[in-house]
Amino acid sequence: MKHRFNSFINERSEDCVKCTIGAGYYSAVTDSARLMVAGQPMGLFDKLVGWLGLKKEVNVLCLGLDNSGKTTIINRLKPSNAQVQDIVPTIGFSIEKFKTSSLSFTVFDMSGQGRYRNLWEHYYKDGQAIIFVIDSADQLRMVVAKEELETLLNHPDIKHRRIPILFFANKMDVRDALSSVRVSQLLCLDNIKDKPWHICATDALKGDGLQDGVEWLQDQIKTMRT
Amino acid sequence: MISSPAEVKNGSGDGGRWLDAHYDPVAGLYTFSSCVDLADLSGDGESRLVVGDLGTGSSGMKLKVYRGTALMSESTLLDLPAGLVAFFMDLHEPRIPAVAVASGPCIYVYKNLRPYFKFTLPGLEINTLEQDVWQQVREGQIDPMCLKEMLESIRKKDAVPLSIRSLRFLSLEADSMDDFVQLHKQQPIRRQTVITCIGTLKKSTTDEDGVSCLVIGTENSDIFVLDPEAFTILSKMCLPAAPTLMDVTGQFDVEFRITVACRNGNIYILRRESNKPKYCIELSSHPVGLVRIGKNVVVGCTDESLQGFTQKGKKLWKINLPAPVTTMAAMDLPTRGFQGVLVGLANCEVHLYRDKNLLSTIKTPDTVTSICFGRYGREDGTLIMTTKGGGLMVKILKRMAVFDDRESAPGPPLAQSVRLNVPKKTKLYVDQTLRERENSLAMHRAFQMDLSRMRLAAARAYVKALESSLTPVSSSLSEPLKMNAVVQGLGPSFKLTLNVQNTAACRPVMNLTISFLYDENLYRMRNPFMRIPLLVPGLIYPVETFVECTSDKGISDIIKVFVLHEGKSSPLLTAHINMPISEGVAFS
Ligand SMILES: Nc1nc2c(ncn2[C@@H]2O[C@H](COP(=O)(O)OP(=O)(O)OP(=O)(O)O)[C@@H](O)[C@H]2O)c(=O)[nH]1
Ligand SMILES: [Mg+2]
């Protein structure tokens, strides 16, 4: 299954802007070595650190409706020299990496478009944490986000796990955006009793609020492991 | 499953297939399906809702645009909107559609939500007599009273109808006529029709964002196709009645089909090659909703029925609805290969049909007056409804929702729609059917004639039998009798038993005799004449005698039995006994 989807993975190189939308894009991805770290080959030092157990590797699933800002957020979390300027709607999914003080994150940036949402569940097993991004300015589709969240929480690969979920109530800079409190009300987050969760209001364009969320996630993963 | 109170409340009727995205009961939107459209008006991939709001019907008409749950812009309309469509009128980038609002005799075209162009229908032919009369008024030759008389006579006999001005004048009281004439006499007379419905027709491509022509129907029973950029009339077609609902498909330069429901209760289908309707569907009651699904047309009628027709007007099915239809819309979801018809009903329900099967029922808090299904915001399967009370309701189809034909459909069992393997009609059958069809009258007459003859013959035979007492039952009042005969034996000797019964209630019968009539060459009878004892009512009296067959030729004959009253020559009753063939030979 996974093998087939590899062809959807985004290539974050200079010429990817125009080809990510069309179907002709598939042939562009041929070099599997580049896929692992989405554009920048994994350095030897990083691997060494990983083997020595200095930095734990965690797989994180980044989920949420299309246009909510998932790719923008993950792009923001990467070191500034690895960030890209143009962000296009994700096709299928893409794998990104970034590090915090003690963890090395591998993020599955899933496409949120309706026709790709059925891909999400294939990665639930491998995920050790979930980042769920919501467009706080899209009030109309709050019910859709809620529906997808419920489907996620009820999936057999997620339901009985104490997997931490970080909610980003994104686009808080938009004039009509809902507050993070209102978003958590609309999504009925209080009903999640058996998993640690946290919600942050963010502005992915400026990067506001992201750090707070990632720190919470890091703490959760640490407590989980020990 | 985590579920909010809202979902528990609303998720019942429609099988939980729809998400309640938004409901504003006091949105103040008063409109019909023909005045609602969805379009990406900013070219940012997010569809907006464009509504021609009818306001109170006399004021407050507005063009409103919604983005998500919020009203984004509104601008005043000069007249009541009859229809609204979004369409691409040019090839400019970015691809942003224009909005056309039809009201009165005009189409107002908005680009980027700013007025861009106004198209006015060409004026109609003016009655020359009417024109002359007004000319005379202008020159002061006739007074208003005289004008009134002349206009009235023109109205009665002339083929070309009067202008609105003359009709208004004719409806005035005598004291206000003068002012009216003074006010209007200098202006030229104009006769104008109004637009009743509007649609779009792709010019030459099938592309989603291809340039489209506007198609308009008028009160004057015409259909016009307008050039997208120049707004000149590309084609004019005539209908037998004023159109009210319209569906257009195809491309103007290639092949197209315009389906219109008219005020005479008929549906007409126009094609590219002719300016007259190609097909006609005559409905038994007036159409209130018209939706095309692929190649079929689905019509909702005032008799609370929903009917399906082919594009050539052949009726496919008809079902009854639980309430009058308020509005209809197509539900087309190409990404999931789904097509259905949404029907708003006066009982606060919206039904979803695929063909004649009810797939889902959505309960609404108020009667729905307009329905629009399509891409809104970033959601492809969005259902937008406005209600009688001015409410706005947005529902989103769940990603995993499936519609099952058989789930809620009452109606006939599945087996009923299984086609029987009927053998092909033979040539003989077809010839016979043709002959029957052609000569039906003569055949019917011949049959009726023969039937009458047969009845007459039967009646005659019956009367004769009664008159000559040829029956084994006597119905005479004084001697009601019944008799049957039994023949026993193999021959040549037979035993003949006659069972005689008096069927009267209490009167006995006396003085009866029995006599036999037979061919003396064949039979010999010991005593061919017998007396019958007194017959007590009800009892059966067996009268026995012996017959001997004298012939050895193996033939048989009838023996007639008469029951007679002493002193009367005509029998009371008669019986014919078919004698069996004798198996043996007499010794003689
Ligand atoms: N104003 C504002 N815009 C944002 C913010 N975050 C993202 N965007 C914009 O939202 C749009 C969508 O962002 P993406 O990161 O592509 O969204 P996504 O969730 O990855 O979408 P898919 O890949 O289609 O699932 C882009 O135009 C971003 O610039 C934010 O915090 N504020
Ligand atoms: Mg993305």
Side-chain angles (χ1 to χ4, degrees):
Chain A
M1 203 66 194
K2 213 174 192 177
H3 187 73
R4 199 168 77 78
F5 295 129
N6 275 345
S7 60
F8 289 110
I9 299 172
N10 263 14
E11 186 191 30
R12 297 273 175 200
S13 54
E14 305 76 54
D15 60 342
C16 75
V17 177
K18 58 179 182 297
C19 60
T20 32
I21 302 159
Y25 161 72
Y26 306 147
S27 59
V29 185
T30 46
D31 184 356
S32 60
R34 279 201 290 167
L35 294 178
M36 296 170 64
V37 276
Q40 47 159 188
M42 194 188 245
L44 187 65
F45 180 73
D46 291 342
K47 282 183 185 170
L48 204 64
V49 167
W51 290 330
L52 292 174
L54 295 178
K55 285 207 179 180
K56 286 176 189 165
E57 292 264 1
V58 266
N59 290 333
V60 179
L61 302 180
C62 188
L63 308 172
L65 302 188
D66 49 301
N67 199 50
S68 54
K70 298 179 291 295
T71 309
T72 316
I73 286 175
I74 293 160
N75 190 51
R76 266 277 159 194
L77 293 171
K78 294 199 290 190
S80 53
N81 61 355
Q83 288 180 13
V84 296
Q85 290 310 308
D86 288 312
I87 290 181
V88 293
T90 311
I91 310 268
F93 67 93
S94 97
I95 297 173
E96 309 283 341
K97 295 218 166 189
F98 69 87
K99 294 191 189 73
T100 60
S101 52
S102 60
L103 291 173
S104 172
F105 285 91
T106 303
V107 186
F108 291 76
D109 176 16
M110 307 301 296
S111 168
Q113 289 173 52
R115 63 191 147 158
Y116 294 123
R117 274 179 225 156
N118 54 356
L119 297 184
W120 293 5
E121 60 181 4
H122 298 293
Y123 300 90
Y124 290 170
K125 264 206 182 79
D126 302 329
Q128 287 144 308
I130 291 170
I131 297 176
F132 197 95
V133 184
I134 302 119
D135 178 351
S136 332
D138 191 352
Q139 290 192 40
L140 190 75
R141 293 208 300 165
M142 213 50 85
V143 275
V144 184
K146 175 169 180 275
E147 174 76 9
E148 294 298 351
L149 176 63
E150 277 172 13
T151 313
L152 163 73
L153 293 173
N154 283 304
H155 193 277
D157 291 347
I158 298 289
K159 198 174 169 92
H160 302 294
R161 288 169 60 195
R162 257 190 78 83
I163 183 170
I165 309 176
L166 171 62
F167 293 94
F168 280 133
N170 196 32
K171 304 202 187 181
M172 66 171 188
D173 56 303
V174 177
R175 195 163 54 90
D176 300 320
L178 300 170
S179 68
S180 60
V181 175
R182 188 81 190 107
V183 170
S184 69
Q185 274 173 357
L186 289 172
L187 297 186
C188 302
L189 298 187
D190 284 339
N191 289 351
I192 307 174
K193 307 277 193 230
D194 56 351
K195 293 177 182 56
W197 62 270
H198 182 70
I199 186 165
C200 308
T202 57
D203 170 0
L205 296 185
K206 289 208 206 70
D208 295 352
L210 295 179
Q211 227 40 61
D212 167 33
V214 172
E215 267 156 34
W216 176 84
L217 199 59
Q218 183 174 277
D219 291 348
Q220 286 300 317
I221 291 164
K222 276 189 196 155
T223 54
M224 239 167 58
R225 294 261 173 124
T226 50
Chain B
M1 185 135 197
I2 305 164
S3 58
S4 71
E7 203 177 79
V8 172
K9 194 176 68 213
N10 294 324
S12 52
D14 50 33
R17 296 189 188 93
W18 300 92
L19 298 169
D20 294 301
H22 180 60
Y23 177 47
D24 179 1
V26 289
L29 268 182
Y30 301 93
T31 191
F32 302 113
S33 297
S34 58
C35 294
V36 182
D37 206 353
L38 291 165
D40 181 2
L41 291 183
S42 322
D44 58 0
E46 249 187 71
S47 277
R48 310 292 150 94
L49 172 68
V50 200
V51 182
D53 189 337
L54 283 83
T56 61
S58 54
S59 67
M61 290 83 80
K62 286 203 169 83
L63 176 65
K64 293 182 173 171
V65 180
Y66 278 81
R67 174 174 188 259
T69 55
L71 181 65
M72 199 178 85
S73 93
E74 59 177 358
S75 47
T76 305
L77 292 174
L78 297 176
D79 207 347
L80 267 185
L84 175 152
V85 286
F87 71 113
F88 289 98
M89 55 180 289
D90 51 38
L91 290 166
H92 299 170
E93 294 281 345
R95 306 296 291 136
I96 292 177
V99 175
V101 182
S103 51
C106 302
I107 295 174
Y108 300 90
V109 180
Y110 293 79
K111 252 186 159 181
N112 294 314
L113 291 177
R114 275 188 289 274
Y116 172 77
F117 185 78
K118 176 180 159 185
F119 166 85
T120 309
L121 283 173
L124 298 176
E125 183 194 351
I126 295 160
N127 193 318
T128 44
L129 288 174
E130 180 190 3
Q131 213 155 14
D132 291 347
V133 174
W134 279 98
Q135 178 65 29
Q136 287 172 10
V137 173
R138 204 171 308 146
E139 288 161 4
Q141 290 168 356
I142 51 174
D143 63 352
M145 275 327 281
C146 183
L147 171 69
K148 184 174 173 152
E149 265 169 43
M150 292 170 92
L151 284 176
E152 235 144 36
S153 73
I154 295 171
R155 181 164 78 148
K156 280 196 189 99
K157 55 175 192 277
D158 231 70
V160 180
L162 294 181
S163 65
I164 299 289
R165 184 210 291 183
S166 300
L167 292 173
R168 278 265 298 283
F169 173 75
L170 288 180
S171 69
L172 291 177
E173 299 288 328
D175 52 349
S176 49
M177 280 182 190
D178 252 338
D179 293 343
F180 187 86
V181 169
Q182 288 309 322
L183 191 68
H184 292 285
K185 69 177 180 188
Q186 293 307 332
Q187 279 114 43
I189 299 174
R190 296 188 59 216
R191 203 157 70 80
Q192 194 59 279
T193 184
V194 293
I195 300 170
T196 54
C197 51
I198 184 166
T200 60
L201 170 61
K202 290 267 148 59
K203 182 76 166 55
S204 50
T205 66
T206 51
D207 297 353
E208 191 90 320
D209 63 350
V211 169
S212 292
C213 306
L214 292 179
V215 183
I216 51 178
T218 71
E219 189 61 53
N220 205 38
S221 311
D222 289 328
I223 298 273
F224 294 105
V225 180
L226 306 181
D227 182 81
E229 239 165 330
F231 290 97
T232 50
I233 293 168
L234 293 177
S235 174
K236 178 185 170 182
M237 289 165 265
C238 303
L239 291 168
T244 55
L245 304 160
M246 174 156 67
D247 177 86
V248 190
T249 168
Q251 297 119 60
F252 181 75
D253 292 335
V254 187
E255 171 61 26
F256 62 82
R257 201 176 283 268
I258 303 174
T259 311
V260 273
C262 290
R263 217 164 272 153
N264 62 355
N266 290 353
I267 290 175
Y268 297 98
I269 296 157
L270 298 141
R271 307 252 319 246
R272 184 168 193 267
E273 61 264 27
S274 164
N275 65 346
K276 291 253 158 19
K278 171 109 175 157
Y279 304 107
C280 169
I281 303 171
E282 291 185 10
L283 298 168
S284 51
S285 69
H286 279 267
V288 281
L290 174 81
V291 169
R292 185 184 45 81
I293 295 292
K295 292 192 161 183
N296 292 344
V297 179
V298 179
V299 186
C301 292
T302 47
D303 63 353
E304 301 181 15
S305 72
L306 194 68
Q307 308 182 24
F309 298 91
T310 66
Q311 59 180 355
K312 290 188 174 163
K314 183 170 167 274
K315 186 163 171 177
L316 294 172
W317 48 264
K318 175 178 178 174
I319 52 164
N320 291 318
L321 299 168
V325 177
T326 54
T327 188
M328 281 170 62
M331 176 169 161
D332 195 356
L333 204 56
T335 50
R336 292 192 220 170
F338 180 89
Q339 286 188 315
V341 180
L342 291 156
V343 184
L345 298 174
N347 64 352
C348 295
E349 283 180 357
V350 174
H351 285 190
L352 172 63
Y353 290 91
R354 180 162 52 200
D355 291 332
K356 59 182 172 188
N357 300 313
L358 176 63
L359 301 183
S360 155
T361 302
I362 302 167
K363 295 210 162 44
T364 54
D366 188 6
T367 311
V368 165
T369 57
S370 88
I371 301 176
C372 184
F373 183 89
R375 181 180 170 87
Y376 184 44
R378 298 182 159 271
E379 248 348 282
D380 283 328
T382 310
L383 172 61
I384 296 168
M385 300 176 280
T386 65
T387 65
K388 209 170 169 182
L392 172 66
M393 211 179 310
V394 182
K395 286 176 185 278
I396 295 175
L397 188 66
K398 285 190 189 174
R399 184 164 61 88
M400 318 270 217
V402 282
F403 291 105
D404 186 6
D405 264 354
R406 283 284 124 206
E407 176 238 351
S408 56
L414 201 61
Q416 193 167 312
S417 49
V418 175
R419 276 185 165 269
L420 292 177
N421 188 12
V422 183
K424 260 194 151 4
K425 289 172 189 155
T426 61
K427 168 116 174 44
L428 182 68
Y429 174 84
V430 174
D431 288 350
Q432 285 294 334
T433 334
L434 274 180
R435 190 180 71 88
E436 280 176 24
R437 199 183 300 162
E438 277 158 19
N439 305 316
S440 55
L441 206 64
M443 288 168 89
H444 180 73
R445 281 205 189 115
F447 173 78
Q448 288 297 329
M449 179 95 84
D450 288 350
L451 185 64
S452 307
R453 282 223 180 97
M454 192 183 78
R455 281 183 182 149
L456 181 64
R460 274 196 183 133
Y462 185 58
V463 168
K464 193 172 157 215
L466 283 180
E467 275 174 352
S468 51
S469 300
L470 283 171
T471 54
V473 176
S474 156
S475 51
S476 92
L477 278 178
S478 50
E479 288 99 8
L481 293 176
K482 207 166 98 179
M483 181 176 76
N484 68 57
V486 179
V487 183
Q488 288 168 314
L490 296 171
S493 279
F494 297 97
K495 184 179 174 189
L496 201 62
T497 311
L498 303 168
N499 295 308
V500 187
Q501 187 185 7
N502 175 4
T503 55
C506 51
R507 237 160 37 108
V509 180
M510 296 177 282
N511 300 331
L512 295 184
T513 56
I514 290 186
S515 128
F516 296 91
L517 194 67
Y518 53 91
D519 186 345
E520 291 186 6
N521 296 324
L522 285 179
Y523 297 107
R524 193 166 55 224
M525 207 169 249
R526 214 166 289 169
N527 45 347
F529 181 79
M530 290 183 289
R531 286 184 178 281
I532 299 177
L534 179 141
L535 297 177
V536 174
L539 292 184
I540 295 173
Y541 290 81
V543 180
E544 294 170 2
T545 182
F546 290 89
V547 186
E548 213 164 321
C549 181
T550 55
S551 161
D552 57 356
K553 303 217 169 59
I555 49 170
S556 63
D557 195 20
I558 290 170
I559 294 179
K560 293 179 182 175
V561 186
F562 303 101
V563 177
L564 301 143
H565 200 273
E566 249 171 56
K568 282 186 195 156
S569 61
S570 72
L572 286 171
L573 50 87
T574 313
H576 292 203
I577 301 164
N578 283 315
M579 291 304 288
I581 292 169
S582 169
E583 311 268 307
V585 182
F587 319 93
S588 56

